[in-house]
Amino acid sequence: MSIDLSWQRVTLLASVIFGIWSGFSSWGEARELVDQSGHIVTLVERPLRIVTVAPSLAEVAGDLLVDELDRIVGVSEHTTFPPALTNRPSIGPFFKLNLERILSLKPDLVLATKDGNSREEVRHLRELKLPVVVVSTSNLGEVSRSMELIGEALGVPDRGKRMSAQFNAGLESLRKRAAARKIALHILIQIGMDPLVVAGGNSFVSDAVSVLGVKNIYQAAEQPYPRPSLEDAVIKSPDVILIVAMSSNVHELQHSEGKKWRSFQRIKAVKDNRIYVLPGDRILRPSLGLLEGLALVERTLFP
Amino acid sequence: MRPLRLTSGLSAFVLSTLFWLGSFWVALRVGAVSDADFDLVLQLRLPRVILASAVGMGLSVAGATLQALFTNPLCEPYTLGISSGAALGAVIGSALGYDASYSGLAVPAFVGALLFAGVLSVISRRSTSSQLAVLLAGVMLGLLGSSLVAVWMAVSDAQGIQGALIWLMGSLSRARMEGSILSLFGVITLSLLLWRKWRELDAFLLGEEGALALGVSVQQVRTQMILLTSLLVGLCVSGAGMIGFIGLMIPHFVRRFSGSLHLTLLPLCAIWGATSLNLADSLARTAIAPYELPVGVVTALAGAPFFLSILLKRMGRVEG
């Protein structure tokens, strides 16, 4: 059978192909976005293959895309929220990304964070021509802005704005309750066990906990997560020690860390038996879940 | 001196090159993703494999040279602390903001390596005692360098700690195509410059007096060699951090079939260094995927027992 390709047919075929192509290209039209690291990122209108490279980012993106979670195609290790994302292909832990896996997922949007992901790895991803949107969450204002930015990146700016407003409203009501309490507690927020790592004033955790009207004894530290000596912590004698458990084993930590601290009876928190262990996945993640975490801290500190 | 067997040298060379190409192929095939497409291999694996080859080559050639220079089979950039000096230089360079470009760190790394190698050279000339003294001095220099890197880690932010670990334990994950090709080109050039001095290096095997008797201007050659080796180590460490024991194991392995003459030893060391680091990095990338082992850990797991075995053999010889 011979195929007769007359000029008319060729022209018709070409115009049909062009029509389909231009239809597709306008559907996936490119747009530009300035992220929180100051980079201009070119993105498709509605990203369909999203990779999140930190658990908090999966949580925010998951909340914003609650009815279309299949758009998220890869997540970092230890992603726990929303539960539907836990079986997505892993791209490694947030502190050491597996670039091969990320590239093989062919993402049209990679969500990364300045506070956790390595600068060098983010730079490498950008050099591989992947559209990387970086958020910054070193204080509550930035967390709120990051929600809006993620909404814009995902192509759902209104939902992002709503989430940010909900977050700010939640914080405001916590602040009001704190103002009514008028109790000034000095707190040590312990993040790491051996060696001792605490949340300094430049971390969003400290910023968040201070919403409850408490004062971080390491507020003045320059680093977000400094490693003070145990001696220094003993001399500062906080009213409360709040241990944020990175692992899920809260009870075990309550026992082991409690035992360690109890040998320093001159610490006020030890004397008053005010050493608390709380799960980290609600407190250490700059997402809407932080409000739940703060409510939990509030109930614990001011029963 | 043993007459050079050209044909056997050539066949060893061809066979070794085939092994290197084989390791290249293996390293390109394995990774975190089993069904990697062409783009992924080209963008991520190829630069890394080229860098592994360059660094393996550089470290082995540097190791073989240092072993001749100090007439000590336990010498190499890592055990002598020269790598640690280079890492210190690179870390300081990166704190000063030189790490924006890949090759930017090679200069401070070279300065660090040269400083440590210079100190070592002075010690070796002064110490009339054993070869062990030089080695001990090297180990101490290495500790000093690593400790200074750790001090920098302690005072810098969390990002700094992650970065510094790469310097201390070695990683090829920073590989980029341009940088890798530049490194390979640089390493080959420096290795050729060292290779040109193969006769002098052979003479060093007879000890300093022996070399002088053969008409080698020992001081001048030693200075040149230290300069070239430091450049080589600086280039390797600035690309991949501190990777130990490649410079120790490969020259020993190659001497088994090529003999000790540097005309054949150095090129074969280059090829086998590249082969072994390719394979070590493939293992580092795949052993505990999706996590990655620092490649320096893999080489140290093989190298440290090897170091001890040589030490024990030599002690046995001295006692017996």
Side-chain angles (χ1 to χ4, degrees):
Chain A
M1 199 175 78
S2 71
I3 301 168
D4 179 22
L5 276 180
S6 68
W7 275 114
Q8 286 95 331
R9 284 193 186 184
V10 171
T11 322
L12 186 71
L13 192 69
S15 59
V16 168
I17 290 172
F18 181 73
I20 292 172
W21 177 76
S22 59
F24 268 116
S25 62
S26 70
W27 175 60
E29 206 174 318
R31 62 199 163 104
E32 281 183 347
L33 193 81
V34 182
D35 73 5
Q36 279 172 295
S37 67
H39 268 82
I40 301 170
V41 191
T42 308
L43 287 176
V44 293
E45 196 59 48
R46 187 170 172 272
L48 293 172
R49 300 191 58 78
I50 301 153
V51 170
T52 56
V53 296
S56 60
L57 298 164
E59 196 169 331
V60 174
D63 280 347
L64 291 172
L65 297 176
V66 69
D67 45 357
E68 34 188 358
L69 281 179
D70 52 344
R71 283 169 63 187
I72 300 173
V73 294
V75 297
S76 56
E77 294 271 303
H78 310 298
T79 291
T80 44
F81 292 99
L85 288 184
T86 50
N87 57 4
R88 290 286 190 282
S90 162
I91 52 92
F94 69 88
F95 51 85
K96 186 81 190 76
L97 304 180
N98 193 316
L99 301 190
E100 272 197 17
R101 292 223 173 158
I102 296 178
L103 205 61
S104 73
L105 291 168
K106 303 200 182 314
D108 51 11
L109 169 62
V110 178
L111 289 175
T113 170
K114 235 165 127 179
D115 311 277
N117 295 134
S118 123
R119 277 191 293 267
E120 149 65 21
E121 282 172 352
V122 168
R123 189 163 65 203
H124 204 164
L125 286 172
R126 286 201 167 115
E127 285 173 14
L128 294 168
K129 306 267 183 289
L130 294 180
V132 188
V133 170
V134 175
V135 303
S136 178
T137 55
S138 57
N139 58 52
L140 292 175
E142 283 191 348
V143 174
S144 158
R145 169 72 195 123
S146 77
M147 293 169 174
E148 289 178 23
L149 180 68
I150 293 174
E152 286 166 37
L154 298 175
V156 287
D158 294 342
R159 290 192 205 172
K161 282 199 185 92
R162 272 205 300 279
M163 179 187 269
S164 160
Q166 190 186 342
F167 181 70
N168 290 333
L171 292 177
E172 202 41 49
S173 67
L174 284 169
R175 276 195 196 99
K176 273 186 192 151
R177 285 211 292 274
R181 266 195 304 270
K182 289 181 188 149
I183 305 173
L185 277 183
H186 286 81
I187 192 169
L188 170 83
I189 309 166
Q190 184 181 346
I191 308 281
M193 313 306 148
D194 270 321
L196 177 66
V197 181
V198 303
N202 284 329
S203 66
F204 88 90
V205 188
S206 172
D207 205 15
V209 173
S210 64
V211 164
L212 304 173
V214 295
K215 194 166 164 35
N216 183 355
I217 59 167
Y218 287 105
Q219 184 64 35
E222 260 177 52
Q223 294 172 27
Y225 299 100
R227 281 180 272 182
S229 69
L230 202 54
E231 275 181 31
D232 188 60
V234 171
I235 288 169
K236 283 201 165 74
S237 184
D239 301 318
V240 178
I241 295 174
L242 177 68
I243 302 169
V244 186
M246 299 267 224
S247 63
S248 50
N249 212 332
V250 171
H251 291 293
E252 198 177 292
L253 269 180
Q254 184 93 52
H255 179 73
S256 61
E257 286 304 298
K259 199 168 146 192
K260 255 186 244 167
W261 283 114
R262 269 194 292 280
S263 50
F264 304 103
Q265 281 297 325
R266 55 181 289 186
I267 302 179
K268 194 159 181 306
V270 177
K271 235 185 300 175
D272 300 347
N273 199 20
R274 298 200 74 182
I275 303 171
Y276 306 110
V277 182
L278 294 178
D281 56 2
R282 299 284 73 188
I283 298 165
L284 291 177
R285 290 186 191 169
S287 65
L288 219 45
L290 182 63
L291 292 179
E292 270 174 58
L294 286 178
L296 180 64
V297 177
E298 191 186 36
R299 281 200 301 279
T300 311
L301 297 186
F302 310 103
Chain B
M1 251 186 246
R2 199 148 49 101
L4 183 72
R5 287 166 299 168
L6 194 63
T7 45
S8 73
L10 261 180
S11 59
F13 196 78
V14 171
L15 206 67
S16 304
T17 308
L18 285 177
F19 268 102
W20 175 34
L21 293 175
S23 76
F24 217 89
W25 184 79
V26 169
L28 285 179
R29 296 265 309 178
V30 300
V33 184
S34 51
D35 53 344
D37 60 15
F38 182 70
D39 273 353
L40 193 147
V41 170
L42 195 71
Q43 288 180 303
L44 283 176
R45 287 188 195 166
L46 189 61
R48 194 164 171 156
V49 174
I50 294 174
L51 185 65
S53 294
V55 172
M57 255 181 207
L59 292 177
S60 317
V61 170
T65 308
L66 290 170
Q67 284 166 18
L69 222 49
F70 290 99
T71 343
N72 186 334
L74 292 170
C75 286
E76 63 131 342
Y78 189 76
T79 53
L80 288 183
I82 301 174
S83 292
S84 165
L88 180 62
V91 161
I92 292 171
S94 120
L96 295 175
Y98 282 100
D99 62 345
S101 76
Y102 174 84
S103 44
L105 286 182
V107 177
F110 160 63
V111 174
L114 189 62
L115 193 72
F116 275 43
V119 171
L120 203 68
S121 185
V122 170
I123 292 172
S124 83
R125 242 180 290 159
R126 287 194 156 205
S127 92
T128 44
S129 57
S130 64
Q131 299 170 341
L132 213 59
V134 176
L135 200 67
L136 273 175
V139 171
M140 287 307 124
L141 279 175
L143 276 173
L144 178 70
S146 306
S147 308
L148 288 172
V149 171
V151 167
W152 180 76
M153 275 163 64
V155 294
S156 69
D157 62 352
Q159 294 261 307
I161 290 171
Q162 280 173 34
L165 277 180
I166 289 179
W167 295 112
L168 290 178
M169 300 170 87
S171 166
L172 291 152
S173 65
R174 291 165 64 247
R176 307 286 203 281
M177 194 55 106
E178 307 83 55
S180 298
I181 291 172
L182 268 175
S183 292
L184 187 65
F185 184 72
V187 163
I188 290 175
T189 310
L190 290 168
S191 301
L192 284 174
L193 287 175
L194 281 172
W195 190 42
R196 272 182 54 206
K197 300 276 176 193
W198 62 271
R199 284 192 189 82
E200 284 85 344
L201 280 174
D202 284 349
F204 267 95
L205 293 180
L206 304 170
E208 219 161 273
E209 281 95 37
L212 273 171
L214 285 174
V216 175
S217 47
V218 171
Q219 246 359 288
Q220 196 191 342
V221 173
R222 191 192 284 269
T223 311
Q224 279 177 2
M225 294 282 170
I226 290 208
L227 208 65
L228 285 172
T229 316
S230 302
L231 270 169
L232 208 51
V233 175
L235 197 59
C236 292
V237 172
S238 69
M242 280 161 65
I243 300 177
F245 301 105
I246 290 279
L248 177 76
M249 288 186 289
I250 301 306
H252 281 276
F253 168 70
V254 172
R255 273 190 208 104
R256 285 176 172 248
F257 57 87
S258 92
S260 297
L261 301 183
H262 291 82
L263 179 66
T264 46
L265 180 68
L266 289 185
L268 285 171
C269 274
I271 297 171
W272 279 100
T275 310
S276 57
L277 199 56
N278 267 342
L279 295 178
D281 188 49
S282 303
L283 196 65
R285 279 187 289 138
T286 51
I288 53 161
Y291 302 92
E292 221 174 73
L293 276 173
V295 67
V297 170
V298 176
T299 58
L301 280 176
F306 185 81
F307 181 96
L308 289 176
S309 76
I310 301 178
L311 195 66
L312 281 175
K313 257 186 225 159
R314 284 175 65 81
M315 283 164 80
R317 219 183 295 155
V318 171
E319 280 164 14

